[in-house]
Amino acid sequence: MSGAVAQKAVIVSKEEMVGRLARHLEQQPEPVRASDRLMKGLEVASLALPLAGLVAAIVLVVTSGASLGKSIPAAVFGVWGCFALGVFLLGLHSAAIRAFPPVRYMIAAQNDKSPGFFTGDQAVGMGVFIMAAALIIAACCAMGAYAFFDPSILEILIPVIIVFSIGTGLGSTWLRRRSR
């Protein structure tokens, strides 16, 4: 038998994670708790943007003079780009309350491989990372939509996507190792 030690996964329930978030927020001053409530409202409101984007995309596809082969894929990229605002707000929420994950629906049962719940500088770092990723995702979606009308932009878009993918992988690995 090899010298590897088997580690038993430590399961942390969703309820315990929600309790950690609630205790963290109780310890914060009122302006932080107020920003938590504001951010939750903005995150819910941001879900209307993809729906509005979908309706606008359908209207533009039906009424535009552009070919359907170009306008439908461009509309899909546009709708996906609308989700970037919600992702950005989640990152901003984490940075504002200095806790990650900042909302109940992002909390799941954790084990030793999961990033867990963290506060302070680690949570702010995760929030900034998520905000930067959301901005890059929005830019890639906009460039992807534009590429159906001007394919020459693919010379820029493909390297950007490759660098973003590698950067996201390296950044998330770094954040995970830093949080342990």
Side-chain angles (χ1 to χ4, degrees):
M1 186 169 157
S2 70
V5 177
Q7 293 182 349
K8 186 176 181 181
V10 178
I11 303 296
V12 178
S13 70
K14 181 176 180 174
E15 292 77 25
E16 185 177 338
M17 294 288 288
V18 170
R20 289 179 185 176
L21 177 59
R23 283 190 300 277
H24 172 74
L25 287 172
E26 287 172 0
Q27 297 170 355
Q28 301 304 311
E30 181 55 34
V32 173
R33 290 194 302 266
S35 68
D36 176 56
R37 290 188 297 273
L38 174 68
M39 292 305 300
K40 285 178 182 174
L42 288 173
E43 288 161 7
V44 169
S46 75
L47 295 176
L49 185 61
L51 183 61
L54 179 63
V55 170
I58 291 171
V59 169
L60 288 174
V61 166
V62 170
T63 61
S64 74
S67 72
L68 292 179
K70 291 181 179 179
S71 58
I72 290 175
V76 169
F77 272 98
V79 171
W80 275 107
C82 291
F83 283 101
L85 175 63
V87 174
F88 182 87
L89 289 174
L90 285 171
L92 183 60
H93 193 173
S94 290
I97 68 170
R98 301 181 62 84
F100 183 84
V103 288
R104 290 178 171 214
Y105 58 82
M106 286 182 66
I107 296 175
Q110 303 288 309
N111 60 34
D112 64 340
K113 301 280 187 200
S114 301
F117 178 81
F118 27 86
T119 59
D121 290 341
Q122 292 174 333
V124 172
M126 181 67 83
V128 169
F129 180 75
I130 290 171
M131 288 187 289
L135 291 174
I136 294 170
I137 289 169
C140 287
C141 286
M143 289 170 59
Y146 183 73
F148 285 96
F149 299 102
D150 183 11
S152 66
I153 199 169
L154 291 174
E155 296 171 7
I156 299 169
L157 182 60
I158 292 172
V160 166
I161 291 172
I162 291 170
V163 169
F164 173 69
S165 300
I166 293 170
T168 302
L170 292 174
S172 62
T173 301
W174 177 74
L175 281 172
R176 179 175 283 176
R177 288 193 177 156
R178 185 174 166 218
S179 67
R180 289 186 182 199

